[in-house]
Amino acid sequence: MAAPKARALGPEEKDECMKIFDIFDRNAENIAPVSDTMDMLTKLGQTYTKRETEAIMKEARGPKGDKKNLGPEEWLVLCSKWVRQDDEEEILRAFKVFDANGDGVIDFDEFKFIMQKVGEEPLTDAEVEEAMKEADEDGNGVIDIPEFMDLIKKSKNALKEA
């Protein structure tokens, strides 16, 4: 498993991550020992090899970071990687559900089914077609995984702003 890329955390996500950090900051010194990292990862449901964990830790610490301890900023870098990975895995699972025939793309009929399930009122074919055109970024007539991820992320952002 490759190390996931970081993304910005929201205020609630930061609070949750810092609550976990506080558990591992045993002496209330605002540090958590690197030696506890594998234990932290396991308790958070993450499974990385020792080499992957070392690479993640090196990236979080930066070139001049303390090799024995993590500070809160470094911990948030780690959390941002896990949150992003969880989001993407959830979106991928949803994509697989909507890709009814399992061909790796969502076609018009599959998209129409999704739109009918999430909408309050039935949509016309023209309305579904218009929505699909917006989601189909490359214009090939189907929605692939990256386009679906973008669609979900845009929807989440729109809901947060509303």
Side-chain angles (χ1 to χ4, degrees):
M1 170 188 302
K5 291 183 169 55
R7 77 153 174 87
L9 296 173
E12 291 176 12
E13 293 167 326
K14 283 182 181 179
D15 287 345
E16 288 299 313
C17 286
M18 290 313 299
K19 286 177 187 174
I20 296 166
F21 177 84
D22 290 342
I23 292 169
F24 292 99
D25 180 14
R26 294 185 181 128
N27 299 324
E29 297 173 336
N30 218 23
I31 58 171
V34 169
S35 59
D36 291 344
T37 302
M38 290 299 277
D39 184 44
M40 287 182 210
L41 294 173
T42 302
K43 288 180 179 180
L44 293 170
Q46 304 299 315
T47 53
Y48 296 111
T49 65
K50 184 176 180 180
R51 177 175 282 150
E52 289 168 334
T53 301
E54 288 169 357
I56 292 168
M57 296 302 301
K58 184 177 180 180
E59 183 179 343
R61 284 192 314 263
K64 298 181 182 180
D66 182 343
K67 294 185 183 200
K68 294 185 179 184
N69 298 298
L70 288 175
E73 298 83 17
E74 296 157 333
W75 178 250
L76 289 174
V77 169
L78 295 179
C79 281
S80 69
K81 292 173 179 288
W82 299 324
V83 169
R84 181 173 188 266
Q85 181 184 32
D86 292 344
D87 285 351
E88 287 183 359
E89 287 174 356
E90 183 179 322
I91 293 170
L92 186 57
R93 281 192 299 272
F95 180 87
K96 288 179 180 179
V97 169
F98 296 132
D99 177 18
N101 62 7
D103 65 355
V105 295
I106 297 174
D107 62 27
F108 178 83
D109 290 333
E110 292 165 330
F111 191 70
K112 182 178 179 179
F113 178 78
I114 296 167
M115 297 300 289
Q116 299 295 354
K117 290 295 181 186
V118 299
E120 294 179 19
E121 298 178 21
L123 300 174
T124 66
D125 283 356
E127 290 170 324
V128 173
E129 190 173 318
E130 185 62 32
M132 186 158 177
K133 282 181 185 176
E134 288 181 36
D136 180 18
E137 295 169 357
D138 61 11
N140 66 352
V142 293
I143 300 170
D144 58 24
I145 292 171
E147 291 168 333
F148 186 76
M149 286 190 166
D150 286 346
L151 176 66
I152 298 299
K153 289 173 186 175
K154 287 176 189 173
S155 297
K156 283 184 178 182
N157 288 337
L159 288 174
K160 285 180 185 177
E161 292 173 3

